[in-house]
Amino acid sequence: MNDKHIRIRIAQCLALAEASNCPRRKFGALLLDPERNVILMDGYNGGPRGGGRLCGGESCLRDTQQVQSGTRMEVGCHHAEMNVVCNAAASGVATQGAWLIVTGEPCMMCSKMIHHAGIGRVLVVEGGYLGANGVDYLRAHGVEVEAVEGPKDPRIAPRTV
């Protein structure tokens, strides 16, 4: 894929993230066929399919349980990466050798799934999620990880010169 197409796919991934109802953070993920330059599947973070707008139905479990950001990844929304891999599996779409664009660094749980799904390259939009993540795990297991330019995390105060 050339730079122009990667920039277009990043913009599409960022737009997809806006579909999330999560009050804390919106993530998007696109699974790509790098040879044909097509989107194979998409996903964003959200509540369980058919289970309400949010992870707790109509409330955010991370808020109601007072879970600190960057901790206890098992509590809360289904992650965008989880949704894209599960959507691909449910639709019979092969993930082996595909690329993944995601609007933040994958957590350890999602990184294990990405690796085991055979995804070969992950493009992480810079400025995303800052919690504990699985980028080192991905690299240690042969998955290429590349930071790509994107909007900055709003939790980071801009520097003053």
Side-chain angles (χ1 to χ4, degrees):
M1 291 182 66
N2 65 38
D3 289 342
K4 172 188 169 185
H5 290 117
I6 290 172
R7 283 193 310 275
I8 290 167
R9 297 301 185 216
I10 290 168
Q12 289 174 310
C13 192
L14 290 165
L16 176 65
E18 292 303 314
S20 173
N21 291 321
C22 181
R24 287 178 167 232
R25 188 93 163 103
K26 297 177 184 303
F27 285 89
L30 288 179
L31 187 69
L32 306 172
D33 178 332
E35 291 186 21
R36 294 184 303 137
N37 186 29
V38 296
I39 296 172
L40 299 172
M41 193 57 60
D42 64 18
Y44 55 88
N45 63 319
R49 195 174 309 282
R53 281 183 348 96
L54 301 172
C55 55
E58 292 305 312
S59 62
C60 171
L61 290 177
R62 295 182 70 78
D63 285 344
T64 60
Q65 295 178 18
Q66 298 179 344
V67 176
Q68 181 182 357
S69 285
T71 66
R72 305 233 12 242
M73 295 299 122
E74 77 282 5
V75 177
C77 289
H78 292 204
H79 294 186
E81 305 94 324
M82 179 188 301
N83 276 331
V84 79
V85 170
C86 290
N87 289 343
S91 300
V93 174
T95 56
Q96 185 69 36
W99 289 11
L100 181 71
I101 296 178
V102 64
T103 59
E105 296 168 350
C107 72
M108 182 60 80
M109 176 178 63
C110 288
S111 293
K112 289 178 179 180
M113 188 174 356
I114 290 165
H115 166 245
H116 281 266
I119 294 168
R121 188 172 189 190
V122 178
L123 305 174
V124 180
V125 178
E126 285 185 308
Y129 175 70
L130 296 174
N133 66 66
V135 169
D136 289 339
Y137 174 91
L138 289 170
R139 288 185 174 132
H141 290 86
V143 178
E144 290 181 49
V145 179
E146 178 184 350
V148 292
E149 191 173 324
K152 302 303 176 214
D153 190 315
R155 294 174 292 180
I156 301 171
R159 290 188 194 189
T160 55
V161 179

